[in-house]
Amino acid sequence: IPAGCNQEVELRLRSNVSLHSNTGYEILVQMKSAAVVGAPTYMSIVLWNGALGHFTVLPMLNGNAHDGDRIRARIVGSTISVYQNDVLQASVDDATFATGNPGMGFYVSPFNVSSCFTTPNAFGVTSFSARALP
């Protein structure tokens, strides 16, 4: 990840996306390059309520996520848990959505999109899996 880029990896739980509607839970993690490890980052669990831009931040956390970290999210009943390198970072209860799909997304600050994608491998995920819990 190039220095100065505000890039997020977003894990989706119980998500439903359709034309003009986005509902479900999003775990977003700002990623930093190894060159700026130690710089403040953020992590959050967000409730998407439908319309564009209509969301509620459940907890917002300070973090230190960077290249190579493993981010995991799970939802059991109404409890959403977020892990970084297998260490619990946040847990919140919310029963707004009982069904939906897993997924993922990315966000890049609109102020520096061109500088953040000067190389094809500047931003991405090395692996992704989703499964139902027993």
Side-chain angles (χ1 to χ4, degrees):
I1 300 169
C5 292
N6 179 27
Q7 298 176 338
E8 294 174 0
V9 172
E10 302 161 349
L11 301 177
R12 303 281 308 191
L13 301 171
R14 297 186 181 163
S15 180
N16 286 297
V17 179
S18 61
L19 187 62
H20 306 294
S21 180
N22 181 8
T23 61
Y25 302 101
E26 177 182 277
I27 291 74
L28 59 90
V29 180
Q30 180 188 27
M31 303 302 292
K32 294 284 188 177
S33 70
V36 291
V37 170
T41 61
Y42 55 83
M43 178 182 291
S44 186
I45 300 172
V46 176
L47 171 70
W48 280 92
N49 302 300
L52 178 64
H54 187 215
F55 60 89
T56 304
V57 176
L58 299 176
M60 177 67 92
L61 308 167
N62 291 325
N64 191 21
H66 61 280
D67 289 353
D69 281 358
R70 180 175 178 230
I71 305 300
R72 181 169 49 107
R74 66 185 284 174
I75 187 166
V76 177
S78 63
T79 303
I80 304 164
S81 302
V82 181
Y83 300 82
Q84 179 179 342
N85 299 323
D86 297 319
V87 175
L88 181 65
Q89 301 295 308
S91 183
V92 67
D93 286 318
D94 187 279
T96 304
F97 299 107
T99 63
N101 301 300
M104 65 182 307
F106 302 97
Y107 172 78
V108 178
S109 170
F111 304 110
N112 58 13
V113 171
S114 61
S115 66
C116 291
F117 288 105
T118 56
T119 60
N121 63 351
F123 183 50
V125 172
T126 57
S127 67
F128 174 81
S129 65
R131 65 182 172 88
L133 296 173

